[in-house]
């Protein structure tokens, strides 16, 4: 996805192996991993594996992992579509630095990623869910 910069300077770019440390730092923020990775900070190797899988997926299906940034924040967020080709679907996940919560960025990232799924002839639907701690948060 070659997404152009928006009016606020935010842009999504495809994650590369050079982004492992930056994405790992984002994923290691307690308010971020609280709702992901079963509530524990992920290992660096896990992030490296997810990026590598994403690059393969992007080449095969056109969907993968993109990073949100602007001129002052290189790793403000991340959105990923992980394809499940047997189900002809992709699972949407995202994370956003708490500093940028409440600005509509998660919705914008997600919507932009979803628009990349449907041109793929291998994907008919996009699914999303939440871990149990997030479900409790959504109810309050």
């Amino acid at each position: 996805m070659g997404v152009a910069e928006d009016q606020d300077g935010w842009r999504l770019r495809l994650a590369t192996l050079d982004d492992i440390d930056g994405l790992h730092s984002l994923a290691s923020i307690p308010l971020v991993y609280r709702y992901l990775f079963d509530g524990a900070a992920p290992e660096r190797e896990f992030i490296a594996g997810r990026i590598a899988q994403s690059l393969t997926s992007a080449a095969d299906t056109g969907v993968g992992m993109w990073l949100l940034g602007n001129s002052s924040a290189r790793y403000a967020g991340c959105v990923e579509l992980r394809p499940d080709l047997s189900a002809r679907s992709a699972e949407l996940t995202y994370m956003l630095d708490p500093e940028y919560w409440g600005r509509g960025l998660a919705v914008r990232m997600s919507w932009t990623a979803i628009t990349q799924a449907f041109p793929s002839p291998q994907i008919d639907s996009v699914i999303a869910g939440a871990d149990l701690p997030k479900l409790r948060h959504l109810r309050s």
Side-chain angles (χ1 to χ4, degrees), residues 15-131:
T16 70
L17 294 176
D18 292 334
D19 294 310
I20 294 169
D21 290 329
L23 187 57
H24 182 252
S25 291
L26 174 63
S28 296
I29 297 171
L31 285 173
V32 173
Y33 70 71
R34 176 180 178 190
Y35 301 120
L36 298 168
F37 315 112
D38 296 324
E43 297 291 328
R44 183 183 184 281
E45 293 75 28
F46 177 81
I47 296 296
R50 288 290 287 263
I51 291 175
Q53 288 174 345
S54 165
L55 292 170
T56 300
S57 294
D60 294 343
T61 65
V63 300
M65 180 186 294
W66 301 275
L67 302 174
L68 176 71
N70 66 15
S71 60
S72 61
R74 184 158 171 84
Y75 299 99
C78 172
V79 62
E80 181 180 18
L81 287 173
R82 293 183 69 196
D84 178 352
L85 298 181
S86 64
R88 299 189 53 80
S89 67
E91 179 182 14
L92 174 79
T93 58
Y94 67 86
M95 57 182 137
L96 188 64
D97 187 318
E99 182 176 335
Y100 303 104
W101 289 4
R103 299 182 188 187
L105 293 171
V107 172
R108 288 166 53 189
M109 281 192 314
S110 299
W111 181 253
T112 302
I114 289 168
T115 63
Q116 296 301 300
F118 294 113
S120 172
Q122 298 152 309
I123 298 173
D124 296 327
S125 63
V126 173
I127 59 170
D131 286 351

